[in-house]
Amino acid sequence: IGANVNFFDMLVPDVIGKIQTQSAVYDWNTWADVLSPKQGTDILATYADQFYSGKAAAITRKLGKGTVTYIGVESKDGQFEREIVRSIYQKAGVEIDNLPKGIYVEWRDGFFVAVNYSNEAFNLTIPESSLLLIGTNPLQAGQAVVWK
């Protein structure tokens, strides 16, 4: 990954730690790998407090024709992880869907699979040339749709 995992930590439920990126601060307390980056590895985020303040929490480096990115901390709301993954996709020129919480779309073995874990119906962007195999669009709450 371009770093060593020195150790991991978790905080007691009522203690909240901070993660710092160039543009934002995020909360964590469930899981944290404390990383020691190797030469040629960029630090994406550091711990902003606790006794490991300033240590790397997320890193990235070039590997072959691509990159490897390691997120060593779980934020309280998942926004930190979403922002890092979104930036990786943007740098690669990959289009990003902005799906609401509870809506998941995956590519599996040649098929798109969407699942709605929310309480609201959601209208998916499915190309007109696609073949809908299971389910309907809009995707109803508690349902799945599969297309090719």
Side-chain angles (χ1 to χ4, degrees):
I1 65 169
N4 291 322
V5 178
N6 291 341
F7 61 93
F8 62 89
D9 198 7
M10 55 181 22
L11 302 175
V12 294
D14 60 336
V15 174
I16 303 298
K18 302 289 183 189
I19 313 157
Q20 175 74 52
T21 67
Q22 288 182 342
S23 60
V25 176
Y26 302 89
D27 293 339
W28 77 276
N29 84 332
T30 305
W31 185 265
D33 288 336
V34 178
L35 307 172
S36 178
K38 296 179 181 178
Q39 188 172 355
T41 299
D42 295 323
I43 298 172
L44 299 175
T46 58
Y47 295 100
D49 61 0
Q50 310 300 326
F51 79 95
Y52 31 79
S53 179
K55 299 287 187 188
I59 51 94
T60 191
R61 73 178 181 101
K62 291 187 181 283
L63 182 64
K65 294 180 181 180
T67 61
V68 60
T69 300
Y70 186 87
I71 301 171
V73 62
E74 181 181 351
S75 69
K76 291 289 288 178
D77 62 3
Q79 190 62 33
F80 169 69
E81 296 89 314
R82 280 190 289 280
E83 291 303 320
I84 288 185
V85 171
R86 184 174 294 282
S87 73
I88 293 166
Y89 276 63
Q90 286 173 337
K91 286 177 187 173
V94 175
E95 187 176 326
I96 302 168
D97 286 332
N98 194 16
L99 300 172
K101 187 174 182 173
I103 307 294
Y104 298 90
V105 177
E106 296 182 18
W107 173 259
R108 293 184 188 171
D109 300 321
F111 301 95
F112 286 97
V113 178
V115 180
N116 185 346
Y117 290 105
S118 78
N119 294 324
E120 305 284 328
F122 182 75
N123 193 29
L124 295 162
T125 304
I126 299 176
E128 289 184 27
S129 60
S130 299
L131 176 61
L132 211 62
L133 301 170
I134 297 171
T136 61
N137 192 26
L139 177 58
Q140 299 301 310
Q143 300 294 311
V145 64
V146 178
W147 70 96
K148 186 174 180 177

